[in-house]
Amino acid sequence: MRWYLHRDLIALAAAVVGPVVVAAVLTTLRTVLSPANAALVLVVVVVAVAAVGNRFAGALSALVAAAAFDLLLTRPYERFAINAPADVITAVLLLVVGLAVSQLAARARRLRLVTIDDAHQLAQIRSTAELVESGAEGRAVVNHVRGQLIDLLQLRDCRFEYGTLLGHPARLERDGAITQGRIHWSRDRDVLPDEEVELRASAGGRYYGRFMLRPTPGTVVPLQARLVAVTLADQAGAALSAETAGPP
């Protein structure tokens, strides 16, 4: 997870530096390379940044590419002005196409990461389900899920509180989003709060306790991992529910 964070930081730096460096190189070919062709080269740079970074890096790269194109590759050179109407259209298309393609590339990267993690995450869900079906004690299932959550979400620590839910900590919701008081974070936000986060263990609409997650600051936690965490907590809730109900 930390590697993904470092890669995103590198992508942000590349989003600023990459288009400018490539545009500067293309200035040596201004006499033989048309502005339209130069714009196509810059679109390739935008796609490359988005493919290894995130949506923000891709969008930033598109903006920088359009500015570099204007400044270095259209007349009058080294000024934010464009004389030829055709070059104005090319600059606008560069920005629009760069933004659109960068978002598609970032989405493809996100889906690829989900696929890579799928097998391991499904194995975690299956192992907990088998433990619950074996009739293991609720406490044993809770401890098993606690260890899974630490690994899955890259937590510093995790504890389980039985019974009544006290206070109003940040909470990991069923859709993978985070709520903190009246604030509802977007599901696309992949970094958990630095403070403790509540993950409820429920079954049949009843809460049996909660996992208190202590995130590692700055660690990227993809949506897929958060959704798996919710499923694991529900499995713990199911085990506690069965234990409370007792034998038929």
Side-chain angles (χ1 to χ4, degrees):
M1 294 296 185
R2 288 182 178 275
W3 184 77
Y4 295 144
L5 179 60
H6 294 327
R7 183 168 69 176
D8 284 344
L9 292 175
I10 292 173
L12 287 174
V16 175
V17 176
V20 175
V21 170
V22 171
V25 172
L26 292 176
T27 60
T28 62
L29 303 173
R30 285 188 301 209
T31 57
V32 296
L33 189 67
S34 70
N37 288 334
L40 288 176
V41 174
L42 291 174
V43 167
V44 174
V45 177
V46 173
V47 172
V49 170
V52 299
N54 51 35
R55 285 180 172 82
F56 180 75
L60 178 61
S61 179
L63 292 170
V64 174
F69 175 77
D70 181 358
L71 184 66
L72 300 176
L73 299 172
T74 63
R75 297 178 184 275
Y77 298 127
E78 299 179 7
R79 289 177 55 191
F80 285 111
I82 301 177
N83 289 342
D87 290 346
V88 173
I89 295 174
T90 300
V92 172
L93 288 176
L94 168 60
L95 178 59
V96 173
V97 172
L99 288 172
V101 173
S102 70
Q103 301 313 296
L104 291 174
R107 179 174 176 80
R109 176 210 166 193
R110 185 184 185 89
L111 292 175
R112 185 169 65 251
L113 293 179
V114 168
T115 302
I116 291 172
D117 289 339
D118 245 2
H120 176 59
Q121 292 169 356
L122 287 174
Q124 289 182 309
I125 293 173
R126 183 167 56 250
S127 70
T128 305
E130 291 172 352
L131 187 61
V132 174
E133 291 171 1
S134 71
E137 292 184 354
R139 187 177 297 275
V141 176
V142 164
N143 288 335
H144 178 73
V145 170
R146 174 182 169 275
Q148 289 180 311
L149 292 175
I150 290 175
D151 174 66
L152 177 67
L153 304 178
Q154 298 294 296
L155 304 174
R156 288 184 293 170
D157 195 12
C158 175
R159 71 180 193 279
F160 188 79
E161 297 180 349
Y162 291 87
T164 306
L165 308 180
L166 301 176
H168 301 282
R171 183 166 68 247
L172 176 55
E173 302 288 358
R174 301 193 62 78
D175 64 353
I178 300 291
T179 56
Q180 194 168 19
R182 296 183 178 180
I183 301 174
H184 188 86
W185 294 7
S186 168
R187 297 199 313 165
D188 290 334
R189 178 166 180 168
D190 287 343
V191 179
L192 299 179
D194 291 343
E195 61 197 66
E196 283 192 323
V197 178
E198 171 189 275
L199 173 57
R200 297 179 176 182
S202 63
R206 179 180 173 185
Y207 297 114
Y208 292 89
R210 62 185 177 183
F211 292 93
M212 297 303 295
L213 317 174
R214 291 186 60 196
T216 301
T219 299
V220 174
V221 182
L223 173 62
Q224 182 74 9
R226 302 196 302 273
L227 293 174
V228 171
V230 171
T231 301
L232 294 173
D234 283 348
Q235 289 177 317
L240 293 170
S241 174
E243 191 173 64
T244 301

